[in-house]
Amino acid sequence: MSIIAALQSWLEQYPGMQIQPLADVLTDLTKPIPSSYALAPAGNSVTQTYITGKRTYTNNYVFYARESILDEADRVENHDFLEGFTEWIEERAENEDFPELSGGYAVDSIGVSNLLLFDVDENGIGTYQVQIQTKITKWRTT
């Protein structure tokens, strides 16, 4: 399983998504209707290389949530959902309950930042974004 697929499966475990009609976390793009979620890679880099061959990476992702924003109650509900989502990720990180990766990779840390309304379409559907950063170690597999 790829790193992004493992992270998507991990994020789908958030209990608040279970009450949403479409709880799958898609890749890169949301569906055009609410509620829809997606995870998109937003850059990565090698942050450290060891003489043993082990490498540490920083991988950045953007989680998108497409939701109705027509009235105040919708917007409040959306922020409640996303704040709960953020807190859930932070709690799991504190408990070192990370996504399980294959291929010699392991998540060392995960964090979130920048919860915001990113875009609004002509139908009153908004796209929110939450930035997620992971630190991942790749163990030499020779």
Side-chain angles (χ1 to χ4, degrees), residues 1 11 29 66 69-70 79 86-87 103 109 130 133 137-138 141:
M1 176 183 296
L11 293 173
L29 302 171
R66 191 156 170 81
I69 62 164
L70 289 175
H79 280 280
T86 299
E87 289 173 10
S109 68
V130 178
Q133 184 176 79
T137 298
K138 167 75 170 164
T141 55

Side-chain angles (χ1 to χ4, degrees), residues 43-59:
N44 67 342
S45 61
V46 175
T47 53
Q48 196 164 13
T49 302
Y50 300 84
I51 59 171
T52 61
K54 178 177 92 168
R55 290 186 178 181
T56 303
Y57 299 86
T58 299
N59 288 10

Side-chain angles (χ1 to χ4, degrees), residues 3 9 13 16 30-31 48 51 55 58 64-65 73 81 90 92-93 105 110 132 141:
I3 293 171
S9 294
Q13 295 172 24
T30 61
K31 293 181 180 179
Q48 196 164 13
I51 59 171
R55 290 186 178 181
T58 299
Y64 294 106
F81 167 77
E90 291 170 348
R92 288 188 79 178
Y105 290 95
I110 189 166
I132 299 173
T141 55

Side-chain angles (χ1 to χ4, degrees), residues 1 3 6 8 17 32 41 51 69 83 102 108 114 129 139:
M1 176 183 296
I3 293 171
Q8 287 167 306
M17 267 192 230
I51 59 171
I69 62 164
E83 287 173 13
S102 59
D108 300 321
N114 296 332
Q129 77 172 30
W139 301 94

Side-chain angles (χ1 to χ4, degrees), residues 92-117:
R92 288 188 79 178
E94 286 174 14
N95 293 323
E96 297 185 4
D97 181 6
F98 301 124
E100 291 189 29
L101 307 179
S102 59
Y105 290 95
V107 175
D108 300 321
S109 68
I110 189 166
V112 295
S113 63
N114 296 332
L115 167 81
L116 59 100
L117 178 61

